[in-house]
Amino acid sequence: MNNNLKSFLIEAKKQTYANSNIKKGIPSRLGSNDYHYEKKIDGQNFAYHDTYFGGTKFMGEEVVYCDDSMPEWGMNYYGVTLDEALNEDAMDKALRPALMKVGEDDSILPVRGPRKFENDGYIYTFEVVGTLACFEGSEKIYKEDKLIYQLTCHGGVIRK
């Protein structure tokens, strides 16, 4: 796996949804929420797109392009807030800080957050099997030992 791709993916995730200071981009499709990030690394032009639909129940896709219009890597995800009393803003406060830790835990693939993260009474966990080339993952958030959110994801290399 190209180390530039891995480094770029970590940086792009921290410069898009996970970062609460970053503004959404122009929607690419009806009802979508979109983020975009680009950077040149060692002469290669990388572009990252994250598009999702929904709020407390959502689905989305991330795609990384390198040097041309063909996708290089991608991930699909579906998440559900299980506690109806929690709105999207409340979940963002639990989820975004964990996602900003992407790449800091070397024991886990940098596709979501760390293996475990605790913040303001919330416990975030992420389990993943595989490699950046082909993986499946499960993300969960607990509050007072109660599961309040879960997400499944899968993805990998789209082309070589």
Side-chain angles (χ1 to χ4, degrees), residues 3 10-11 16 22 26 50 57-58 64 73 81 85 88 92-93 95 99 107 123 128 131 133 137 139 154-156 159:
N3 282 334
I10 292 168
E11 185 173 330
T16 53
I22 301 297
I26 297 169
D50 179 10
K57 292 178 175 59
F58 61 94
V64 173
W73 180 92
T81 301
E88 189 176 357
D92 283 349
K93 290 177 183 167
L95 183 59
L99 296 181
S107 73
I123 299 172
V128 64
T131 66
E139 177 178 84
H154 62 272
R159 69 172 189 128

Side-chain angles (χ1 to χ4, degrees), residues 6 103 105-111 113-116 125-128:
K6 180 179 176 182
D105 181 348
D106 290 336
S107 73
I108 197 160
L109 288 177
V111 295
R115 192 173 301 281
K116 186 173 183 181
T125 63
F126 183 57
E127 297 176 2
V128 64

Side-chain angles (χ1 to χ4, degrees), residues 5-154:
L5 175 61
K6 180 179 176 182
S7 298
F8 173 75
L9 186 61
I10 292 168
E11 185 173 330
K13 287 175 171 280
K14 290 183 178 187
Q15 295 299 319
T16 53
Y17 173 82
N19 188 331
S20 60
N21 296 318
I22 301 297
K23 302 259 188 256
K24 293 177 188 172
I26 297 169
S28 62
R29 293 178 276 177
L30 187 61
S32 71
N33 298 282
D34 292 74
Y35 291 91
H36 179 80
Y37 181 74
E38 293 183 20
K39 185 172 185 180
K40 190 170 197 162
I41 302 174
D42 294 335
Q44 292 181 294
N45 295 309
F46 286 90
Y48 168 90
H49 297 277
D50 179 10
T51 300
Y52 71 93
F53 299 86
T56 55
K57 292 178 175 59
F58 61 94
M59 64 181 292
E61 176 178 76
E62 299 175 11
V63 177
V64 173
Y65 298 85
C66 182
D67 285 335
D68 57 30
S69 61
M70 295 301 295
E72 180 89 15
W73 180 92
M75 176 177 78
N76 297 108
Y77 55 87
Y78 178 74
V80 177
T81 301
L82 302 170
D83 186 338
E84 298 284 330
L86 294 171
N87 62 26
E88 189 176 357
D89 288 339
M91 285 310 304
D92 283 349
K93 290 177 183 167
L95 183 59
R96 286 181 190 226
L99 296 181
M100 282 298 289
K101 300 286 184 187
V102 66
E104 294 179 16
D105 181 348
D106 290 336
S107 73
I108 197 160
L109 288 177
V111 295
R112 292 294 289 173
R115 192 173 301 281
K116 186 173 183 181
F117 177 72
E118 296 184 37
N119 183 47
D120 198 25
Y122 294 95
I123 299 172
Y124 167 96
T125 63
F126 183 57
E127 297 176 2
V128 64
V129 294
T131 66
L132 274 180
C134 183
F135 65 91
E136 293 181 7
S138 175
E139 177 178 84
K140 295 178 180 174
I141 297 177
Y142 298 86
K143 177 113 179 168
E144 299 169 2
D145 295 326
K146 180 183 173 189
L147 179 64
I148 61 168
Y149 161 90
Q150 61 187 19
L151 174 139
T152 56
C153 63
H154 62 272

